Each structure stands twice: as C-alpha cells, then as structure tokens.
Amino acid sequence: RAIVLGGIAATALIGALASPSGAGAGCPLPILCQPVPGEPGEDPEAAPDPGGDESTPVAVPPPGGKRFGVHQTLWETGRYELGAERTAQIARNAGANALRFGLDWRSVEPVRDAWSERSWARYERMYRALVDRGMTPLITIGFPPTWARDPGFAQLCVTARGCEYPPAPSMYAEWEEFAAEVTLRFPAAAIEIWNEPNLDNYWKPRPEPERYAALVARAVAAIEAVNPGAPVIGGSLSPAAATVTGPLGRPAVLSVRDFLRRAYAASPSLAGRLDALSLHTSFQERDYGADTLFAEAFENLREIRDRGGDAGLPIWITESGISVTGPNAVSRAQQAEGLE
C-alpha cells in the first residue's frame, strides 16, 4: 500500500466525500464523480461504473472543500524518522491538505486513569504540524490497553500488533473518556472510529458489528459533548465482497454488506450517528470501472447504508493504494498508472 512521496512511504488517503452525482467533464477527480446506480443501459447484475472521466485533469488537492492526502503513522519511528514537521511538509508539497494517522489508546493510557503525556506529546507534534499548514488531521482511534479488555486471553495479549481487541462492555465509560480526550486535545481533527473492524486482523477474536455499533454510539456522544463540530466518521471498512470463515469456524472477514447490515440492525444502531462512512479501496488492480472490485465495494456500501436509514451519508475513502512489494506486486510504472 505504499506510495513514495518525496521520501515518505505512505498509504494514499482520499478522505474526499464521494458524491453520488453523475460524472461529467468538469469532474476534478475521477473517483469523486459517480453516477446514480441503476441508470438506463446498465447491466442490473453488475456493479455500476463508479464514474469519472479518466482524461480529466486532476486538481490536487481537489476543490470544493474535498480532502486529499496520505496516511502516515511512523513519523518518529521505523525506517524514516523524519519527524512531524518534515513529514507534514513533504505531504503538503505533494498537494495534500489532510493526513491520517492512528492514535492508539494503549499508548496514551497504559495504566488506568493515568495519561502518558509523553505519548500524547508525539501526537500533538503531528497535529500541530498539520494545523499550522492548514491541513486537516484525520485521527483513527481504537485499540484499548490490556486493562480495558475482556478478562481472559484478551488481557494476556501484550504484543503491539496482534492484540486488537475491543474494550469490555464494563469499560465503555473509559472508552468514552478516551474519545472525549482525543477531541479535547485535537479540536480541529476529524475522528475516525477504529480501523477495519470487519476483519479479525483488527477486531479480535472475530468481527462483531453489534459491538462496533455500540462503540460508535458511545464515542459519538462523548465527542459531541466536548466538541459538537468535530466530524466523526465510522466504518473504515476493508472492501471485502464476501464473508470468509476462519480455521476455527468463526467469521474471519465480514463483507461490507454483512457487517453494515448487522451494524444498522443493532441496538444501538449505526444509523443517524455519523457524519460519513469510510471505506478502504486498496486493490492490486488498475481497472476501476464497471464490474470491478472498486465499483462493487461502493455499490455494496451505498445499498446497505441507504436501507439502514443513512441515505446520502457521505463516503470517505481513507485508504487506497497499489503496492510495489508483496506477492501481487506491480511495477512502479503500473503503480503510477493505477493511482492516477
């Protein structure tokens, strides 16, 4: 999922609102202009073309208040260690007006009711670097510390990656406190609730849409109490087209349709709480027209969103990209073609 931008390897972020309006010659960015599903002449069994004109010049960042940028979490660790200021400036030079990063609950409250100011300061440096450049921080929150998880194995899991459990219901008040603290410290940020909760890779031991909907309801109420103007987006869904059962006979992956159907049917429901839904479109493909995985992901999300009572709710793409590494690697020329 890496795109190299002046030295940064970053997942592409198109946090733009994907409009359901028809495509036209004036479309500033192809994926932003999408036709209404079911127009005459379309194959009713195929996902409709998501729209756009591939010959239209692309304005970066796109006009009209759209957000466009990168995802980058390793600004002070890992291979790059560029620091917040340089990372933000490289993204800005590339045309970004937004940057998405994860804020891990485990890092800022390792001990109950004791904030780690050192960890908060790291996020503050990036937040300030973005705001000072007129950029929007998109902060993805999630992943409770051990003390806030269900008793048992969830509390014994201590690795940085592989222990992405939800908070225990008895800790929902602590989850609310965490969500409120994020928007209190970073009032200009948009808040995204969790990352890919439809995968057991990020919601262990298996995806639970009903529990996710409960976390959204709690977080939204807490954020609105502190900062009513903060945009709160949910979903952050992997674009899975099919539900997959894992080796233990339980779902390892829930499709976009199955996850959202259950989240909207839950009590509390997902309906009416969010400012946008978010979707990931990281496919190792360069074709994004009709009857592609890209088109199908949007069709599935829109259909269940509308049935659930959130018709017209904007869609943000918060991860997109094509990788030049891994088993399905493409060349850099193919990566550039697909990204464009």
Side-chain angles (χ1 to χ4, degrees):
R1 299 185 182 182
I3 308 170
V4 177
L5 296 177
I8 283 188
T11 301
L13 159 69
I14 309 171
L17 308 186
S19 167
S21 60
C27 178
L29 191 65
I31 64 167
L32 301 183
C33 304
Q34 303 165 5
V36 176
E39 291 181 347
E42 291 184 342
D43 179 355
E45 299 302 319
D49 192 317
D53 180 353
E54 66 182 19
S55 66
T56 299
V58 178
V60 178
K66 308 295 185 184
R67 297 173 177 88
F68 183 91
V70 297
H71 171 85
Q72 179 56 278
T73 293
L74 303 177
W75 60 87
E76 292 179 357
T77 58
R79 293 174 53 194
Y80 306 101
E81 298 187 17
L82 297 174
E85 289 287 334
R86 188 177 175 202
T87 298
Q89 190 59 51
I90 291 172
R92 193 74 184 96
N93 291 346
N97 61 7
L99 188 143
R100 176 185 186 244
F101 62 89
L103 199 160
D104 197 316
W105 184 7
R106 293 172 291 192
S107 68
V108 296
E109 197 179 7
V111 178
R112 186 174 182 177
D113 297 330
W115 297 127
S116 169
E117 293 301 333
R118 180 179 179 181
S119 291
W120 281 116
R122 175 177 177 267
Y123 297 117
E124 172 66 31
R125 288 190 288 274
M126 177 54 79
Y127 172 82
R128 185 51 51 197
L130 297 172
V131 171
D132 288 349
R133 289 166 174 78
M135 301 171 70
T136 298
L138 173 57
I139 300 177
T140 306
I141 62 172
F143 312 144
T146 55
W147 56 263
R149 303 175 195 154
D150 290 322
F153 182 78
Q155 292 190 358
L156 298 176
C157 191
V158 295
T159 59
R161 186 70 179 86
C163 297
E164 290 79 6
Y165 289 87
S170 61
M171 293 293 176
Y172 282 178
E174 298 286 342
W175 163 253
E176 292 175 5
E177 183 179 298
F178 163 65
E181 189 71 14
V182 172
T183 195
L184 181 66
R185 292 178 183 249
F186 309 123
I191 308 298
E192 182 179 37
I193 302 174
W194 216 270
N195 180 69
E196 298 187 345
N198 59 325
L199 306 184
D200 66 356
N201 200 29
Y202 286 104
W203 189 290
K204 298 188 182 310
R206 61 186 178 279
E208 299 172 287
E210 295 80 10
R211 198 164 177 177
Y212 177 74
L215 288 192
V216 168
R218 297 278 190 145
V220 168
I223 291 168
E224 288 182 346
V226 173
N227 184 8
V232 184
I233 68 176
S236 193
L237 297 172
S238 169
T243 291
V244 178
T245 300
L248 299 179
R250 59 194 183 198
V253 175
L254 285 180
S255 70
V256 169
R257 297 176 67 90
D258 288 345
F259 185 90
L260 284 180
R261 186 185 297 113
R262 287 173 54 183
Y264 275 112
S267 181
S269 170
L270 206 62
R273 301 187 186 276
L274 297 164
D275 296 297
L277 286 171
S278 52
L279 179 68
H280 294 172
T281 58
S282 297
F283 304 109
Q284 288 298 93
E285 295 190 352
R286 288 169 289 148
D287 181 7
Y288 301 98
D291 202 23
T292 63
L293 292 173
F294 184 85
E296 184 177 4
F298 276 94
E299 177 72 357
N300 289 336
L301 189 151
R302 289 193 187 110
E303 180 182 338
I304 305 305
R305 172 202 64 182
D306 294 355
R307 288 183 183 178
D310 272 341
L313 189 70
I315 300 168
W316 291 24
I317 304 176
T318 53
E319 281 187 25
S320 190
I322 307 173
S323 180
V324 295
T325 63
N328 299 311
V330 301
S331 70
R332 291 197 179 278
Q334 290 171 325
Q335 181 190 58
E337 177 189 11
L339 291 174
E340 182 181 23

